């Protein structure tokens, strides 16, 4: 099936300026893409984020702090804002995001294992790999955070791989 995005002769350089192509990529990758402000509040996100992590309806996510938007178990169980729970000071994602924001330096392929709640209340332990990149847009610094849920890639090797 051929579409405007799949022509073999099309180069990525030509597609970069297309907002349609950018939206297509953001909404069809397996990673969650978030943009956070200096308060670690969600400013933008892609569609996979809404289905993979959040414990809130999509329309309720803007300006919510990162841990709350992700469904961090500590924010849910302690009923406190992200940044104010008993575990926030030891949260590697939060610490790395703040370091990246203040130093303006990216962080790549960091890992976090934590329990999260989904929208319907199911609690799951997940292993995340994330990267953080400070970006300067419209006279403000933001953090671009890309999260990959690698929970199921860390399972024991299957019988097939032993043969």
């Amino acid at each position: 099936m051929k579409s405007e995005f799949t022509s073999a002769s099309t180069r990525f350089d030509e597609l970069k300026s297309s907002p349609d192509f950018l939206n297509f990529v953001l909404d069809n990758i397996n990673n969650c893409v978030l943009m956070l402000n200096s308060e670690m509040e969600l400013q933008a996100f892609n569609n996979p984020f809404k289905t993979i992590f959040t414990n809130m309806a999509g329309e309720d996510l803007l300006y919510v702090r990162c841990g709350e938007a992700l469904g961090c178990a500590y924010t849910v169980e302690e009923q406190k804002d992200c940044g104010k729970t008993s575990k926030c000071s030891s949260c590697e994602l939060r610490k790395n995001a703040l370091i990246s924001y203040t130093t303006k330096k990216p962080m790549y392929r960091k890992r976090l294992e934590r329990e999260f709640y989904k929208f319907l209340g199911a609690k799951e332990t997940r292993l995340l790999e994330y990267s953080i990149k400070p970006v300067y847009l419209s006279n403000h610094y933001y953090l671009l955070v890309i999260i990959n849920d690698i929970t199921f890639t860390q399972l024991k090797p299957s019988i097939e791989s032993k043969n």
Side-chain angles (χ1 to χ4, degrees), residues 67-137:
E68 295 156 48
L70 286 169
C72 172
Y74 300 123
T75 64
V76 174
E77 292 169 359
E78 293 182 23
Q79 296 182 353
K80 292 184 178 179
D81 294 338
C82 174
K84 297 181 180 176
T85 75
S86 64
K87 302 293 184 180
C88 289
S89 62
S90 62
C91 175
E92 291 299 316
L93 176 58
R94 181 174 180 73
K95 285 195 288 190
N96 286 329
L98 291 170
I99 289 168
S100 185
Y101 189 86
T102 57
T103 64
K104 307 298 186 255
K105 293 184 179 175
M107 304 248 178
Y108 298 106
R109 301 187 75 181
K110 301 291 185 179
R111 288 193 175 186
L112 173 73
E113 187 170 355
R114 168 84 41 85
E115 290 182 323
F116 296 93
Y117 281 92
K118 290 285 285 176
F119 185 67
L120 298 175
K123 185 176 172 181
E124 306 174 328
T125 299
R126 294 199 169 180
L127 179 59
L128 309 180
E129 184 173 80
Y130 62 92
S131 295
I132 304 168
K133 182 167 175 63
V135 294
Y136 189 71
L137 297 169

Side-chain angles (χ1 to χ4, degrees), residues 3-22:
S3 75
E4 62 185 278
F5 299 123
T6 60
S7 172
S9 64
T10 303
R11 295 183 17 197
F12 278 109
D13 290 343
E14 296 167 3
L15 294 171
K16 284 181 193 177
S17 62
S18 167
D20 292 334
F21 178 70
L22 178 61

